[in-house]
Amino acid sequence: MTNQTAAPAPGGTEVAGRVADVLLLFAGGPEYLGVTAIGRELGISKAVVYRILQSLVSREMLEAGTSGYRLGPAAVALGVSALRRFNVRTAAAPVLRRLRDETGETTTLSGLVGDERVYLDQFESPREVKMTVEVGRRFPLHAGSSGRVILAFLPEERREAVLARPLAALTDRTVTGGPALRAELAETVREGVGVSFGERQADAGSVAAPLFGPDGEVHGSISVCGPRHRFTPEAVERYRTLVRDAAEEITRTWTAHR
């Protein structure tokens, strides 16, 4: 009879590495991943993948759905926390404060988290009637100018993956796909800014521009936003230039201090 020694169980470092590898697959990849796809990509058994996924689900790092697993609220919270520590907030603050003073409207900073957008900061309008945003809340990329300018400048494969999904209408003015949305994205790329009237929040107007990181990829956006009735054609035309210039200044500062 031959004595066989069982293979040793993975050590703590190896297990931690596998958990990290699983999470990293969701960063910038498809929204949903299944057990088989993860096991094939990482070269580990489906049983091991399943145990890791269940552990992550129990801690809300992932959540399970009919299409597989996707990042959960705890992972998104970590992403927001990390983005808040990026130099982009430091670079953006004085520019957004000045932009608020120049326009008299609220100015915002958004970051790309997974395939969604999160408000990272705002400088509120001094006016009595104004728009304010909920910092830390997630929004889809297709609804509103702050998300659309990010979506427009994403790498093609990632952008197409977003457009291939069912897109929810947040208001009766939300553009949810088809030629109309693609036309708006193309115009955003041409102009370098996006304009929205009630697409994410009814009766709100906004003008936004993308922010590019030291790696040259889009990582967020800034916007001027306020009550729709104050976003006249003349005001919007003025804001286009101001917001575009402000975004370019923030990007330069962020890149220079990476």
Side-chain angles (χ1 to χ4, degrees):
M1 181 176 180
T2 304
N3 291 325
Q4 293 184 340
T5 303
T13 301
E14 184 179 352
V15 171
R18 286 178 175 176
V19 172
D21 288 341
V22 170
L23 283 173
L24 287 171
L25 284 181
F26 290 88
E31 181 179 8
Y32 286 96
L33 286 170
V35 173
T36 301
I38 294 171
R40 182 171 58 248
E41 182 70 23
L42 298 180
I44 55 181
S45 71
K46 290 193 287 187
V48 171
V49 171
Y50 182 78
R51 288 197 296 270
I52 291 173
L53 292 175
Q54 293 309 299
S55 177
L56 292 171
V57 167
S58 71
R59 290 162 175 79
E60 297 190 328
M61 295 295 290
L62 297 178
E63 56 186 20
T66 55
S67 300
Y69 296 82
R70 69 174 182 176
L71 291 175
V76 173
L78 282 176
V80 172
S81 179
L83 280 171
R84 284 175 174 166
R85 289 165 172 77
F86 277 7
N87 288 337
V88 66
R89 294 186 75 237
T90 302
V95 180
L96 290 178
R97 192 177 291 112
R98 186 181 71 232
L99 185 62
R100 185 267 317 272
D101 295 341
E102 289 175 332
T103 62
E105 302 290 359
T106 296
T107 57
T108 72
L109 170 68
S110 293
L112 176 63
V113 179
D115 286 333
E116 294 178 299
R117 175 182 68 85
V118 175
Y119 282 118
L120 301 178
D121 211 348
Q122 69 174 323
F123 293 84
E124 293 186 19
S125 166
R127 299 183 182 187
E128 183 175 358
V129 179
K130 60 189 174 185
M131 181 176 172
T132 60
V133 302
E134 186 177 345
V135 174
R137 184 176 175 185
R138 294 181 290 171
F139 292 100
L141 294 178
H142 70 282
S145 65
S146 289
R148 193 167 65 247
V149 294
I150 297 174
L151 181 60
F153 286 92
L154 284 178
E156 181 179 4
E157 183 178 353
R158 190 171 177 187
R159 182 177 64 251
E160 291 302 318
V162 173
L163 294 175
R165 303 175 197 140
L167 302 177
L170 303 189
T171 73
D172 60 3
R173 297 182 64 88
T174 305
V175 181
T176 57
L181 180 55
R182 290 183 180 278
E184 288 197 4
L185 294 174
E187 181 181 2
T188 298
V189 172
R190 286 193 302 270
E191 298 291 330
V193 294
V195 180
S196 170
F197 295 104
E199 294 175 23
R200 185 189 67 78
Q201 182 176 329
D203 298 323
S206 65
V207 178
L211 292 177
F212 298 92
D215 58 1
E217 295 192 3
V218 64
H219 286 280
S221 63
I222 62 169
S223 80
V224 169
C225 57
R228 183 180 170 188
H229 70 271
R230 293 206 294 256
F231 278 62
T232 63
E234 296 78 15
V236 168
E237 194 60 33
R238 176 170 173 256
Y239 296 165
R240 282 175 179 271
T241 300
L242 290 174
V243 173
R244 186 189 300 114
D245 291 348
E248 291 175 355
E249 181 179 350
I250 293 168
T251 293
R252 286 195 303 270
T253 304
W254 185 16
T255 302
H257 292 83
R258 65 188 184 275

